[in-house]
Amino acid sequence: MSEPGGGRARPPDEADERLPCGRRLDEAWEAVTAPVPDEHARTCPWCADLARHVTGLNLLLDVPEGEADEPGLVVRILSEVLTDLRSGRRVPLAEPGVHVGEHVVAAAVRERVDVVPGALARRVRVRPVEGSPGVVDLVVRVVVDHGANVPDVAERVRAAAALGLADVGLTPRSTDVDVVDVTAPPPGR
């Protein structure tokens, strides 16, 4: 399906998203859809994978010739698909039929953890507890300051994570805190 003006499907403007190769998503999209892809797009496995997906989407969304296309339909479809993929799993709340995206939960937890002195959240993993809506198992990976008391920081991170979960209507069954790095010591130490 072509967009008005004859263009093919384009991604929404996501200038800060990057493929594992480091190339911005919008740049990679342009490169793999160019009449002659650049050297990186031809040799990079991640860009090649994107090219296969773009080709598949263009074929999937193709409308028989002569049928009217609603302006911007492809962009809106791709935007919805990308938003859905980014949101991760849906986590059920205690109230029946109400869910929250995993990314929303992770953001709420990160926001609370990042104000804990001596800690910085790196990654938050959320696992709904089967048969217990509104209850989750949580893994918070953090970087701690050099010289910080790790058990104390971990307890403060657990408390902050519980507040973040409460902000979105969830309760922790368990909260594991993984220290994945320590900041460098201050100069002269």
Side-chain angles (χ1 to χ4, degrees):
M1 177 189 315
S2 294
E3 283 298 293
R8 299 295 277 170
R10 290 184 309 274
D13 187 20
E14 299 290 344
D16 60 343
E17 286 200 46
R18 294 187 180 271
L19 295 176
C21 63
R23 194 169 228 192
R24 285 188 2 216
L25 180 59
D26 60 332
E27 292 172 349
W29 190 286
E30 290 300 319
V32 301
T33 58
V36 178
D38 64 19
E39 178 67 21
H40 177 90
R42 287 191 309 271
T43 60
C44 172
W46 292 284
C47 289
D49 190 47
L50 176 64
R52 283 190 297 278
H53 285 82
V54 169
T55 301
L57 282 171
N58 281 330
L59 291 173
L60 178 68
L61 299 174
D62 210 359
V63 170
E65 198 165 332
E67 279 191 27
D69 175 24
E70 181 183 338
L73 177 64
V74 172
V75 171
R76 285 196 312 280
I77 289 171
L78 291 175
S79 183
E80 287 297 318
V81 168
L82 289 172
T83 298
D84 194 47
L85 289 173
R86 282 186 206 108
S87 69
R89 293 178 294 189
R90 294 171 17 150
V91 180
L93 299 181
E95 184 177 330
V98 180
H99 297 80
V100 63
E102 185 177 31
H103 75 289
V104 173
V105 177
V109 169
R110 246 187 249 102
E111 185 176 311
R112 291 291 191 150
V113 169
D114 283 348
V115 296
V116 171
L120 180 65
R122 273 274 176 91
R123 182 173 176 129
V124 177
R125 294 188 141 217
V126 182
R127 244 178 277 115
V129 174
E130 191 69 35
S132 298
V135 181
V136 296
D137 289 324
L138 193 64
V139 176
V140 182
R141 293 191 171 136
V142 296
V143 175
V144 297
D145 287 348
H146 174 55
N149 182 309
V150 173
D152 289 345
V153 171
E155 280 310 309
R156 290 194 307 268
V157 166
R158 276 190 190 89
L163 291 173
L165 289 174
D167 289 344
V168 294
L170 295 169
T171 305
R173 175 176 76 174
S174 68
T175 302
D176 292 339
V177 177
D178 291 342
V179 176
V180 296
D181 204 354
V182 176
T183 61
R189 276 187 124 189

